[in-house]
Amino acid sequence: MKKSILIGMTAVALTLGACGRKTPPAEVPPVEQPPATDPNSTDPNSLEVVELPALQADLVAKAGSDTIYFGTDEYSLDDASKATLAAQAQWMLANPNVRASIEGHADERGTREYNQALGERRANAARDFLLSQGVPAARLVVTSWGKERPVALGSNEEAWAQNRRAVTVIIR
């Protein structure tokens, strides 16, 4: 099924590309994936990652933030990050059916590979702290986006500081 959808989308893209359009085509909505076959699996990578905005808003409202920040080339947690993560852990423990993706990010400086590794170290630091607070490992997944998903655009210290982060994203 996925293969036929991919082939169909490729054919449409090639057809549109051959028409010589000057304006960009409209965005194609993402194809919804079917849920994993085993919803009771304890493997954190066995279920698809689907964000849950209502629960995300509740986490932010009750824990204060879903984001922690890091210094340049840093992945150690400061006191403010630990306080935020402790509040997130309390929220997660009060909501035992919730899973989270801990997503690490970096600023635009450095190579793609370096920032990918740095984002992973940041996400793992946050994950390890949540584990130390009693959140079960099976409920946490680590993802690194490196410099690929900046929250602030710009090549200045203000933008870079906002992009050096780890975000706890509530997922299904």
Side-chain angles (χ1 to χ4, degrees):
M1 172 96 175
K2 288 182 185 179
K3 192 173 187 179
S4 62
I5 291 173
L6 180 61
I7 291 170
M9 290 176 65
T10 303
V12 169
L14 290 173
T15 303
L16 290 175
C19 292
R21 271 179 93 169
K22 297 289 181 190
T23 58
E27 276 191 38
V28 177
V31 177
E32 188 171 325
Q33 300 292 327
T37 55
D38 184 8
N40 297 319
S41 174
T42 57
D43 177 8
N45 297 314
S46 69
L47 298 175
E48 79 176 295
V49 175
V50 176
E51 294 180 28
L52 301 173
L55 287 174
Q56 189 74 30
D58 190 55
L59 169 69
V60 171
K62 296 197 173 123
S65 180
D66 58 3
T67 306
I68 59 171
Y69 297 95
F70 297 88
T72 303
D73 296 326
E74 294 285 327
Y75 59 92
S76 58
L77 302 174
D78 61 14
D79 290 339
S81 296
K82 289 176 183 177
T84 298
L85 289 168
Q88 290 178 12
Q90 287 178 351
W91 184 88
M92 289 195 70
L93 292 171
N95 294 276
N97 294 324
V98 170
R99 294 173 25 107
S101 174
I102 312 302
E103 301 182 349
H105 300 268
D107 63 39
E108 68 181 358
R109 299 172 294 175
T111 66
R112 175 173 283 160
E113 294 78 16
Y114 176 82
N115 285 317
Q116 190 73 26
L118 182 57
E120 186 168 346
R121 287 192 296 273
R122 289 173 173 166
N124 279 323
R127 177 185 179 270
D128 291 346
F129 188 86
L130 291 171
L131 292 174
S132 76
Q133 300 297 298
V135 177
R139 294 176 53 203
L140 301 172
V141 180
V142 169
T143 304
S144 175
W145 293 109
K147 61 182 179 180
E148 302 305 316
R149 292 190 176 186
V151 71
L153 299 177
S155 296
N156 56 54
E157 185 53 46
E158 183 180 339
W160 294 331
Q162 291 178 56
N163 290 326
R164 296 187 304 258
R165 69 197 192 282
V167 183
T168 302
V169 179
I170 304 306
I171 59 173
R172 170 169 36 153

